[in-house]
């Protein structure tokens, strides 16, 4: 250790500095521990949807673990981007969190020319929470039993098969376009304002097919009103293990991940992000939480903050190409 020598004046200044340091250290030590007030958890979609269900089921138990109330707030509109923008501009203190989804983080940057937030730099990833399988369903009158039959029919009738989506640029729309690109087929897009009217017209036979999230599609499948011919995942979903994957039909690697994850505003301290990650993963491991979510057709998938960040960027690369190929845009 070096031998320090101080002149009298220097020693006096050093003493003042040391005293100031001690006062500052004491103040820091007395700073309130996180969290010391309710936390707002923002979902970008209406009550009853998967993001809302996830927020309420996980939020209730997360609040218990943290010793604070989790207030779920639904800020709907513009495919979840209104909520995303709100959280992106919130104080980075851990008291405003967001249920981010594939659409808001990995698709919107390429779909909206004037997106008011940066999906890659305005958020601090916390944890992946769930994945919602996407089903390819057709009207029972369509003479196809599997994905290969559908492709053969579409090639024989180019541009004549009508497919529904929950809206231009929404995940079902872009998933169908990705499928069409991979299969070398062309179908006619009929966009709807949401999943309910799209499914209603599919059941009525006004359109021939659509990709839809399993929680909203599986009831119609079970009732025999539509036929499921493929799931857009790498492996079959436990919610409907009898439905083959599209990869099994000859499209290896075809996987569309409709995920839900926890994020915070960029700049949120790493200690808070890591604390939230640990607590959220504990909550998602609870048997009652898993039962409630899996009953909705949701598959629980967790991650570190770093892994979530990588997933967002990986999916962005995929959807950027699809958006460019289709020319889809939303003003």
């Amino acid at each position: 250790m070096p031998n320090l020598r101080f002149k009298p004046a220097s020693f006096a200044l050093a003493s003042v500095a040391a005293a100031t340091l001690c006062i500052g250290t004491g103040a820091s030590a007395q700073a309130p521990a996180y969290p010391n007030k309710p936390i707002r958890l923002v979902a970008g979609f209406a009550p009853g949807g998967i993001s809302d269900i996830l927020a309420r089921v996980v939020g209730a138990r997360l609040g218990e673990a943290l010793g604070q109330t989790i207030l779920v707030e639904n800020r709907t509109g513009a495919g979840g981007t209104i909520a995303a923008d709100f959280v992106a501009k919130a104080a980075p203190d851990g008291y405003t969190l967001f249920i981010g989804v594939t659409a808001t983080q990995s698709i919107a940057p390429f779909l909206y020319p004037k997106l008011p937030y940066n999906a890659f730099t305005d958020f601090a990833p916390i944890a992946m929470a769930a994945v919602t399988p996407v089903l390819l369903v057709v009207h029972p009158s369509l003479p196809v039993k599997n994905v290969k039959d559908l492709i053969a029919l579409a090639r024989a009738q180019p541009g004549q098969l009508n497919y529904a989506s929950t809206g231009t640029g929404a995940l079902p729309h872009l998933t169908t376009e990705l499928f069409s690109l991979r299969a070398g087929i062309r179908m006619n897009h009929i966009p709807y304002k949401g999943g309910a009217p799209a499914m209603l017209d599919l059941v009525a036979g006004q359109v021939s097919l659509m990709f839809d999230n399993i929680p909203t599609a599986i009831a119609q499948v079970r009732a025999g009103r539509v036929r499921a011919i493929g799931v857009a995942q790498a492996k079959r979903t436990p919610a409907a293990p009898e439905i083959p994957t599209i990869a099994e039909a000859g499209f290896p690697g075809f996987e569309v991940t409709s995920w839900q994850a926890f994020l915070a505003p960029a700049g949120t301290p790493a200690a808070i992000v890591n604390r939230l990650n640990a607590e959220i993963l504990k909550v998602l491991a609870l048997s009652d939480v898993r039962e409630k979510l899996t009953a909705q057709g949701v598959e629980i998938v967790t991650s570190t903050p770093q892994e979530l960040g990588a997933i967002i960027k990986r999916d962005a690369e995929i959807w950027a190409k699809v958006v460019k190929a289709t020319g889809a845009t939303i003003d």
Side-chain angles (χ1 to χ4, degrees):
M1 182 174 183
N3 183 20
L4 301 179
R5 296 179 182 275
F6 297 97
K7 293 181 180 180
S10 299
F11 180 78
L13 291 173
S15 298
V16 172
T20 303
L21 179 61
C22 290
I23 293 172
T25 303
S28 297
Q30 295 173 9
Y34 174 84
N36 65 351
K37 62 180 181 180
I39 297 170
R40 177 163 45 185
L41 178 55
V42 181
F45 299 91
I50 295 301
S51 295
D52 176 73
I53 292 170
L54 180 70
R56 295 181 188 280
V57 172
V58 175
R61 299 304 297 270
L62 180 62
E64 294 174 6
L66 295 174
Q68 288 291 340
T69 302
I70 305 291
L71 303 172
V72 177
E73 182 175 324
N74 300 87
R75 287 182 171 259
T76 62
T81 60
I82 290 175
D85 183 48
F86 174 79
V87 175
K89 293 177 171 59
D93 54 10
Y95 291 99
T96 303
L97 308 178
F98 180 48
I99 300 292
V101 298
T102 310
T104 59
Q105 308 308 125
S106 296
I107 296 178
F110 313 104
L111 197 60
Y112 292 82
K114 299 179 181 179
L115 194 67
Y117 63 89
N118 188 309
F120 312 117
T121 61
D122 287 348
F123 297 89
I126 298 174
M128 178 69 74
V131 169
T132 307
V134 179
L135 291 183
L136 173 54
V137 292
V138 303
H139 188 266
S141 66
L142 202 67
V144 301
K145 298 296 184 183
N146 51 50
V147 172
K148 289 183 178 179
D149 287 348
L150 175 62
I151 293 172
L153 181 63
R155 286 175 177 169
Q157 303 176 12
Q160 295 184 41
L161 291 182
N162 292 332
Y163 75 87
S165 83
T166 55
T168 299
L171 190 67
H173 169 216
L174 296 180
T175 299
T176 313
E177 290 298 327
L178 177 61
F179 173 73
S180 298
L181 288 171
R182 290 285 304 273
I185 59 177
R186 181 167 53 87
M187 299 186 290
N188 187 39
H189 178 214
I190 309 295
Y192 289 81
K193 294 182 178 180
M199 181 57 72
L200 187 64
D201 264 14
L202 177 60
V203 170
Q206 299 299 316
V207 290
S208 297
L209 67 141
M210 70 179 294
F211 277 92
D212 197 11
N213 288 334
I214 194 170
T216 54
I218 197 64
Q220 303 299 335
V221 173
R222 301 289 190 228
R225 298 187 184 97
V226 298
R227 181 187 304 127
I229 61 173
V231 58
Q233 289 199 150
K235 58 182 180 180
R236 298 193 182 197
T237 173
E242 73 279 7
I243 303 174
T245 68
I246 292 175
E248 291 177 55
F251 292 90
F254 189 90
E255 181 177 6
V256 173
T257 304
S258 176
W259 47 257
Q260 296 81 33
F262 287 80
L263 301 104
T268 300
I272 292 178
V273 169
N274 291 333
R275 169 91 186 278
L276 288 169
N277 176 272
E279 297 296 346
I280 289 169
L281 266 57
K282 290 178 184 177
V283 168
L284 289 169
L286 297 174
S287 59
D288 64 311
V289 171
R290 299 183 74 88
E291 288 173 5
K292 290 177 181 177
L293 294 178
T294 54
Q296 300 293 327
V298 171
E299 296 180 15
I300 295 173
V301 177
T302 59
S303 74
T304 65
Q306 295 75 22
E307 288 169 342
L308 174 56
I311 290 169
I312 291 172
K313 292 179 180 178
R314 177 204 69 189
D315 282 9
E317 293 178 358
I318 295 172
W319 294 118
K321 295 176 182 177
V322 177
V323 171
K324 182 177 180 180
T326 61
T329 184
I330 297 179
D331 295 329

